[in-house]
Amino acid sequence: MNAVEIEEALSALAIESFDGGEFPFAFLMAFGNKDATIRRLRKGDSNASDVPGGVLQRNNIHIATCAPGDVHTTLQALRASPKSQTAKPKFLLATDGQTLEAEDLASGEVLACEFEQFADHFGFFLPLAGISTVKEIKDNPVDVRATGRLNKLYVELLQNNKDWAGEERRADMNHFMARLVFCFFAEDTDIFQGTSLFTRTLEQMSERDGSNVHEVLGTIFQTMNIAVSDRPAAKLPRWAEHFPYVNGGLFSGSTDVPNFTRTARSYLLRTGELNWKQINPDIFGSMIQAVADEDERGALGMHYTSVPNILKVLNPLFLDDLRGQLEAAGDNKAKLLNLRKRMARIRIFDPACGSGNFLVIAYKQMREIEADINRRRGESDLRTEIPLTNFRGIELREFPAEIARLALIIAEFQCDVLYRGQKEALAGVLPLDSQNWITTGNALRLDWFALCPPAGVGVDIYDDSLFGVSADQSRIVFENEGGETYICGNPPYLGNTWQTPEQKSELRDIAKGRTTSVGFLDYVAGWFLKASDYLSRNGGSVAFVSTNSICQGQSVPILWPIIFEAGCDISFAYTSFKWENLASHNAGVVVVIVGMSAGLSAPRRLYEHQDGGPVVVREGASITPYLTVGPRVIVEKQGTPMCGQATMEFGNKPSDGGYLLLSPNELAAMALTGKQRETLIRRIHGSQDFISGSPRFCIWIDDENLDEALKVPALSSRIEAVRQLRLASPDKGARTILAKRPHQLKLMRIGKSRTIVVPGVSSERRDYLPVGIVDGRTTLTNLAFGMYDAPVWNMALVASRLHLVWIATVCGKMKSDFRYSNTMGWNTFPVPSLTEQNKTDLTRCAEDILIERERYFPATIGELYESGGMPESLRIAHERNDEVLERIYIGRRFKNDTERLEKLFDLYTKMTAAQGKPKKGATRK
């Protein structure tokens, strides 16, 4: 369930007649527990509570209802319960139907409220549904409630107005919803004079069955588009005259309204009953953007991203600098005035703005700084000099774009109320400005220079409507020229596999003439390329949230040379962290934040997320594209190992249609003799076979044994099937070469005595790569890499923390798993010159790891290296290997992975410089 659904369920529960026996189960159902789960709790199968009236759900909550007046005592009993100690619930909750008390055992936060008000605190309980708790949601539930009620209204209207549900009227429907949002906010903030003017008028003038609601709304909308001086000629009904002239294009054009049912009218009035004065525009806008998108409606309320996460982008981009200047200015009025003038000229541009939360947060933060300046100068009542039109955005979809404009209007009004007072705010809010500063369109196809021209450049094309959608009519003059431009946002990610043909075309057009490998890039790379082009021409700074893929693997040598050649450099960055929103079950994506500037001379800052700890800030002369402090090195593919390690090659590509590969059952069905199995069969591993220990076999026929194999019908038929398959292949090599040896895999690589196996894909949850050794009767598929008959000390390198950190950075990932590459990960791995004693010591470390694994037979590698489940003795063997290897590098253990990476990049830079340009030969990506 999402946050909106949970709020609605709890609100319904709070107004029901209290039933002590039923309440715990109803409460749990509000958080998405399935009927089967509730049935087991009712029967007592999974309810281990030892508190009277209690229900205990392991790892979740311990609830108890009690007699009136016993709530606090019951909560203490829940806290002291032995069952609470062993079942480790997240929450305790006690209620008597009159009051309710609860405790979050993880944070220690407590809740005490009247029973009928507990739904107001639904955010407190969101972790019960696996949803990250966001402070803004906990403190102010009206945004979630407004989203939920508007969604119900939207769906009800579409169900009864089929013509409005089509693509041709989608814009009209979205515009209608934007009008409602403004009216609800305006009536609760006195923009409309009179208490609840909009909702009260609807209730009084419309029929209960909803039959004339569309006429009443149409009249109100028409009225707000007519200047007061022109109203006599319009002959408006007297009850409509109380509504002000709004302008801004919000109520211009068609005043058509969809038809209402009794239910739709009820949803409309219930929505108006909320206190819209408390709406937080960045929260509300982010949450409501899913209302108009049928595909996203299931994720309703999950779009909101917390202010602290957004400030990770905005603070180092420009807000920290403004606050630093404010502190340095002290009470010096001249310096404060200069800072205020500078801020009035700053332009914020989000070319993937969605519902505008980055722009809204930037505006609110700047208004806060400006208010402090005015207070220090004794000018607290001064009207703001920061114009909304300096906050530009591009959004692909119309509804979020309209909400973004409204969110900024609401943010401006709320800031005026906060810093200047209600009277002054009301005096300046209407009529709305008709200029359009949010453009609807494809950001990768639009001209950013035209939409957000650089300092000192004016563009004199006007839009006649605040809510127009034409990209070529949204360019307007900035009120204050000569300032800086800051580009920011959270563009769409989309790996190359999931991009549409049009999206791939957009990336190709942007990168045309600069790389032929753009097909390997994530969609978000388009925003970085557009931003670097903008900065190279216009100056400024940019910071985007991105998946960490742009700073890993093959993306780095494709994307970053283009950015560097444009004259841009990384000014600051956040290393990987989870960009959490209100999505359930830890659905937040792992991201980085990368800031770039052109011609920057200041120190670069790297913000590193420590495991379970604070963010550590480090400074340096430069930041690498891999987000480490150091020279901007780019790791290129190498055809052979550059430091003397053994050659690593991928395994054998079958190209056989599956006829040469055998399951245990298929092998048994062949009824081969022991000698035939010895001669003609080998065990074979891919990545997952090796990790999971699943047995798999292959037909392995040397040419001298072919005649013997053909005498076995089961083998002969498979060989013939492979020959026919290859003859029918569109590949010339398969038809002319491989078809002549259908008894063999395409490649026939196998170690005479042993093979060191490195899976091509493995889980990121492991602390070490699952490397191992197989004997001379085992071969590999092309889904794994092998070092055939290589010295054992090579395994110690692959099994080290140093190597895992390296490949995690330079090889990239498949989804969230490590994707190994011999040419990028092994051949480039910087290894100091090893003495024979070093090799002997590392050989012993690798053997110790293998011996420890044998102790736990038949446990598989996957089981032994499962996250958090590694046997202690095996971990000690790995740590001994790490210590031996790391002392070779620096004479001691590294302090952390950051230090490991920085040393490796330093070595890589020196080694490649000594060799000249890195080799680009490659046998596998």
Side-chain angles (χ1 to χ4, degrees), residues 323-393:
R323 296 189 189 102
Q325 285 205 14
L326 177 63
E327 183 176 355
D331 292 324
N332 186 305
K333 292 191 175 183
K335 291 182 178 179
L336 291 169
L337 179 60
N338 288 335
L339 177 57
R340 189 171 72 195
K341 288 181 176 179
R342 176 194 169 191
M343 290 174 59
R345 295 192 297 268
I346 286 175
R347 306 163 188 198
I348 311 299
F349 179 41
D350 182 349
C353 71
S355 55
N357 55 348
F358 275 79
L359 297 174
V360 169
I361 296 301
Y363 179 79
K364 290 166 71 173
Q365 293 289 318
M366 289 179 67
R367 286 293 303 270
E368 182 179 342
I369 296 170
E370 184 191 48
D372 200 351
I373 292 172
N374 291 343
R375 180 186 57 80
R376 297 186 192 189
R377 285 178 52 86
E379 300 170 332
S380 295
D381 60 344
L382 199 65
R383 186 168 184 170
T384 182
E385 295 180 6
I386 300 173
L388 282 188
T389 49
N390 277 14
F391 294 78
R392 301 292 173 93

Side-chain angles (χ1 to χ4, degrees), residues 785-802:
F785 294 93
M787 289 181 277
Y788 303 100
D789 296 309
V792 175
W793 59 264
N794 286 272
M795 176 186 156
L797 299 183
V798 181
S800 68
R801 181 70 186 175
L802 261 174

Side-chain angles (χ1 to χ4, degrees), residues 637-640 650 822-823 827 919-925:
K637 295 177 182 178
Q638 297 268 349
T640 57
F650 53 81
N822 58 347
T823 58
N827 295 348
K919 299 175 183 178
K920 290 194 175 184
T923 57
R924 179 181 170 100
K925 287 188 280 190

Side-chain angles (χ1 to χ4, degrees), residues 248-259:
L250 182 54
F251 296 102
S252 63
S254 172
T255 56
D256 282 359
V257 174
N259 292 318

Side-chain angles (χ1 to χ4, degrees), residues 442 444-445 493-512 515-527 529:
N442 186 330
L444 297 189
R445 293 295 190 193
Y493 306 137
L494 284 178
N496 57 73
T497 304
W498 293 276
Q499 293 165 20
T500 66
E502 175 60 25
Q503 289 166 335
K504 290 179 182 293
S505 174
E506 291 161 10
L507 288 178
R508 284 196 302 271
D509 290 346
I510 294 169
K512 189 175 182 179
T515 178
T516 58
S517 303
V518 70
F520 293 105
L521 295 176
D522 284 0
Y523 193 47
V524 70
W527 273 260
L529 292 172

Side-chain angles (χ1 to χ4, degrees), residues 346-522:
I346 286 175
R347 306 163 188 198
I348 311 299
F349 179 41
D350 182 349
C353 71
S355 55
N357 55 348
F358 275 79
L359 297 174
V360 169
I361 296 301
Y363 179 79
K364 290 166 71 173
Q365 293 289 318
M366 289 179 67
R367 286 293 303 270
E368 182 179 342
I369 296 170
E370 184 191 48
D372 200 351
I373 292 172
N374 291 343
R375 180 186 57 80
R376 297 186 192 189
R377 285 178 52 86
E379 300 170 332
S380 295
D381 60 344
L382 199 65
R383 186 168 184 170
T384 182
E385 295 180 6
I386 300 173
L388 282 188
T389 49
N390 277 14
F391 294 78
R392 301 292 173 93
I394 303 173
E395 169 52 35
L396 183 64
R397 297 160 300 171
E398 293 172 2
F399 187 58
E402 295 209 24
I403 295 301
R405 299 179 194 119
L406 271 181
L408 280 164
I409 290 169
I410 291 171
E412 181 184 47
F413 178 78
Q414 290 178 334
C415 287
D416 283 345
V417 172
L418 179 62
Y419 300 123
R420 300 181 63 228
Q422 179 82 2
K423 181 179 179 181
E424 288 76 10
L426 288 172
V429 67
L430 293 180
L432 298 179
D433 193 325
S434 64
Q435 295 184 108
N436 177 12
W437 59 93
I438 304 293
T439 298
T440 304
N442 186 330
L444 297 189
R445 293 295 190 193
L446 294 175
D447 181 359
W448 293 10
F449 178 80
L451 297 174
C452 187
V457 175
V459 181
D460 58 2
I461 300 176
Y462 285 84
D463 188 349
D464 62 1
S465 170
L466 171 65
F467 291 88
V469 297
S470 176
D472 62 354
Q473 290 296 313
S474 54
R475 294 170 289 180
I476 61 173
V477 173
F478 283 104
E479 288 189 25
N480 306 303
E481 294 186 2
E484 313 117 71
T485 299
Y486 296 103
I487 304 173
C488 60
N490 185 8
Y493 306 137
L494 284 178
N496 57 73
T497 304
W498 293 276
Q499 293 165 20
T500 66
E502 175 60 25
Q503 289 166 335
K504 290 179 182 293
S505 174
E506 291 161 10
L507 288 178
R508 284 196 302 271
D509 290 346
I510 294 169
K512 189 175 182 179
R514 295 185 283 184
T515 178
T516 58
S517 303
V518 70
F520 293 105
L521 295 176
D522 284 0

Side-chain angles (χ1 to χ4, degrees), residues 275-343:
N275 185 359
W276 285 73
K277 187 176 183 178
Q278 298 174 359
I279 287 290
N280 189 338
D282 56 289
I283 299 176
F284 175 69
S286 296
M287 297 183 73
I288 199 177
Q289 70 182 62
V291 167
D293 192 325
E294 187 174 354
D295 293 334
E296 293 189 29
R297 213 169 285 143
L300 192 68
M302 293 184 180
H303 290 269
Y304 176 65
T305 299
S306 67
V307 172
N309 267 352
I310 293 173
L311 289 178
K312 286 177 181 175
V313 176
L314 300 180
N315 280 341
L317 180 62
F318 73 101
L319 289 175
D320 284 344
D321 179 53
L322 295 182
R323 296 189 189 102
Q325 285 205 14
L326 177 63
E327 183 176 355
D331 292 324
N332 186 305
K333 292 191 175 183
K335 291 182 178 179
L336 291 169
L337 179 60
N338 288 335
L339 177 57
R340 189 171 72 195
K341 288 181 176 179
R342 176 194 169 191
M343 290 174 59

Side-chain angles (χ1 to χ4, degrees), residues 578-595:
K578 187 166 286 187
W579 184 262
E580 293 178 328
N581 48 31
L582 288 182
S584 60
H585 306 298
N586 299 314
V589 65
V590 175
V591 302
V592 295
I593 295 171
V594 181

